[in-house]
Amino acid sequence: LTEETAVAKGIRRISALTRGAAAKAVAEGTEFEGKTSSLESINPDETPDLDKQAGALRKDLDAAELSAALKAELRARIEAVQKKGIEAKKRLLAGRVDKVLNTVTADVEEALAAGKKTLVLNLDIGADSKASQKVIKAVQKIAPELAFMGISEEEVGSGGKILCFTIVPASVQESGLKANEWLKDVLDSVGGRGGGKPGNAQGQAPNCSDVDAVIAKAESFVNDAIAVA
């Protein structure tokens, strides 16, 4: 039996295969059992993309023709692996955020010592908006009068999604720099979108192949905005 679905109230449709088609479905079921077992044997803490691997296998399973009962069992097992992968990724990100906060503290203190009013940093916090708030709070605690922009790739070197967030204190706004304008200029350069106010803004871009160029763009806008003012 490969499918059981509801057609109408009190009526169900059952689909089944026989002979060669049935043998093929059994073989495919055995193959997916093996793939699922292999997936379950992977250590989630050592495989950052385990959730994506599980998602891809789940997609292949849904499209496959095999025993409906076996498909339901395998789907549940794959979903369990996917959940473990997501939880492991969260643990990994939490560790990365702690390291980033230490680095940010050092960089902000160095900027203050140099008399800087602005700072742009490439961070490793994924595309986690909650993590960005932790960074902002750390910056504001150390340097409440510093305009700051953080840029982070969802996966370092992937060329994929980036997160961009910024804060601009009132004293720096008076010099001509607005957080929402700063963010828009930076994200427009890579086809991204965001929003906010003169004091704070946040957004994302779906793809970015050159983070260094984005950082250079951010620093250039700062220099021009303050120079014009």
Side-chain angles (χ1 to χ4, degrees), residues 105-119 142-143 146:
T105 297
D107 289 339
V108 169
E109 290 175 345
E110 183 179 334
L112 288 178
K116 294 182 178 180
K117 292 184 177 181
T118 65
L119 179 65
I142 304 168
L146 180 73

Side-chain angles (χ1 to χ4, degrees), residues 80-195:
V81 173
Q82 192 168 25
K83 184 178 180 180
K84 289 181 180 179
I86 292 172
E87 291 172 347
K89 185 174 287 188
K90 288 180 178 178
R91 290 194 297 271
L92 178 62
L93 178 59
R96 283 162 56 188
V97 171
D98 288 341
K99 291 180 181 179
V100 166
L101 290 176
N102 291 331
T103 301
V104 167
T105 297
D107 289 339
V108 169
E109 290 175 345
E110 183 179 334
L112 288 178
K116 294 182 178 180
K117 292 184 177 181
T118 65
L119 179 65
V120 180
L121 292 180
N122 183 0
L123 306 172
D124 183 18
I125 59 171
D128 190 329
S129 58
K130 290 183 179 179
S132 72
Q133 293 305 308
K134 291 183 179 181
V135 172
I136 287 174
K137 288 180 179 179
V139 172
Q140 290 177 321
K141 182 178 180 179
I142 304 168
E145 298 304 313
L146 180 73
F148 175 83
M149 175 174 281
I151 297 170
S152 176
E153 297 176 87
E154 184 174 34
E155 294 181 13
V156 177
S158 67
K161 183 191 295 183
I162 62 165
L163 171 69
C164 183
F165 57 97
T166 179
I167 50 171
V168 179
S171 59
V172 182
Q173 291 178 44
E174 293 173 358
S175 299
L177 181 63
K178 304 292 190 294
N180 51 339
E181 296 175 357
W182 191 11
L183 180 86
K184 184 178 186 304
D185 185 79
V186 172
L187 289 181
D188 280 352
S189 68
V190 285
R193 296 178 62 184

